[in-house]
Amino acid sequence: MDLSTTIIIISLVSICTSAITAVTGMGGGILLLAILPSLLPAKAVIPIHGAAQLSSNLSRFVLDIKETCVKPVLLFTAGSLFGAYFGTFFLAKVNLEIIPLLMSLFIIGIIWLPINKLLNLIPGKYFSLGVVQTALSLYVGATGPLSTSVLISDKYSSSQVIVSNAAINTVLNIMKLIVFFSLGFAFADYYLHISALIVCTTLGSYLGSKVRKRFNEQLVRTLLKTVITLFCIKNIAVYFYN
């Protein structure tokens, strides 16, 4: 696939996935991550996805900033600093070709297993979540549903969950990009991909925020889980076939 075709596909996919997240509070970033291994080298998937998700989450957070739950976000941020620091130690030793396999297995786990019940057992919930979620994100990329599940279990409103999770994942992706930059990832080599993702995820967030209340969230989430699972199965099959 040539560069221009790749950029067009990435742009269209990122608009749709960002809008999905703005509507449902989750799923779009995972779907984008599940698709990217078909469009990018394995070593670039996590950092490029991080750049896209930073733009998507930051725009979604800024558009509805008044809905933010400040205390969970601050506690998560404190934990995230530790997560980025400790998660960096082993990243340089990981064979990057295994990343699509790891993240596909992780994605299937978080969308089909009752993780909210497990997460509520963690002491110092939001601080601990910041440590664990940030460290994991360096290896599997899509950890947003972890914080979404905790916010939902704490009985915040739908809008508060969506916007607070956007704030949390803005922090997480800033940490992620700092880590990959410090390890020497050549972001400049993918400036066209990143530029397209930034523009299109911001547009997707805007469109999704305008139509959020017009969709049946449960139906959209069920369809998302099915589509995401199929992409993950495809990534797993490709890894073992190759």
Side-chain angles (χ1 to χ4, degrees):
M1 188 182 302
D2 61 61
L3 179 60
S4 59
T5 302
T6 300
I7 296 298
I8 291 171
I9 294 174
I10 284 178
S11 298
L12 294 174
V13 168
S14 60
I15 289 174
C16 294
T17 55
S18 185
I20 287 168
T21 304
V23 170
T24 66
M26 63 178 292
I30 297 178
L31 180 56
L32 177 62
L33 185 63
I35 294 172
L36 283 180
S38 301
L39 303 170
L40 294 171
K43 67 177 183 179
V45 170
I46 300 295
I48 297 304
H49 179 263
Q53 289 303 289
L54 174 58
S55 172
S56 178
N57 283 288
L58 180 59
S59 58
R60 192 160 53 253
F61 166 55
V62 170
L63 286 168
D64 289 305
I65 192 170
K66 63 183 181 297
E67 299 284 351
T68 308
C69 301
V70 177
K71 184 178 179 180
V73 174
L74 291 179
L75 289 171
F76 182 93
T77 300
S80 185
L81 293 169
F82 288 92
Y85 177 75
F86 291 116
T88 305
F89 285 132
F90 302 103
L91 188 59
K93 301 177 182 179
V94 173
N95 178 1
L96 295 178
E97 296 302 320
I98 203 174
I99 291 293
L101 173 64
L102 292 178
M103 68 187 193
S104 295
L105 292 172
F106 180 79
I107 289 169
I108 289 174
I110 61 177
I111 65 175
W112 290 108
L113 297 178
I115 58 171
N116 59 317
K117 295 180 181 179
L118 299 175
L119 291 171
N120 281 323
L121 300 176
I122 298 175
K125 188 162 52 178
Y126 287 103
F127 178 85
S128 299
L129 187 65
V131 176
V132 173
Q133 188 167 329
T134 303
L136 275 176
S137 73
L138 300 175
Y139 302 89
V140 299
T143 58
L146 299 179
S147 48
T148 302
S149 296
V150 174
L151 289 164
I152 289 173
S153 69
D154 281 349
K155 308 301 182 183
Y156 291 111
S157 70
S158 177
S159 292
Q160 286 176 320
V161 170
I162 290 171
V163 178
S164 298
N165 197 49
I168 281 172
N169 283 282
T170 295
V171 171
L172 182 151
N173 283 295
I174 288 173
M175 298 298 177
K176 186 190 300 182
L177 295 187
I178 290 172
V179 167
F180 277 99
F181 182 80
S182 69
L183 292 175
F185 179 77
F187 284 97
D189 291 348
Y190 297 91
Y191 76 95
L192 288 176
H193 304 77
I194 295 172
S195 298
L197 284 165
I198 288 173
V199 172
C200 294
T201 52
T202 302
L203 176 59
S205 290
Y206 174 77
L207 294 174
S209 68
K210 294 299 181 183
V211 300
R212 182 181 298 157
K213 296 181 180 179
R214 299 182 183 180
F215 288 89
N216 183 314
E217 288 186 23
Q218 189 58 48
L219 176 60
V220 173
R221 289 183 182 185
T222 300
L223 292 173
L224 268 177
K225 287 172 70 173
T226 303
V227 173
I228 291 167
T229 300
L230 290 174
F231 270 105
C232 288
I233 291 172
K234 172 258 180 190
N235 292 337
I236 294 168
V238 167
Y239 176 82
F240 284 109
Y241 178 77
N242 290 339

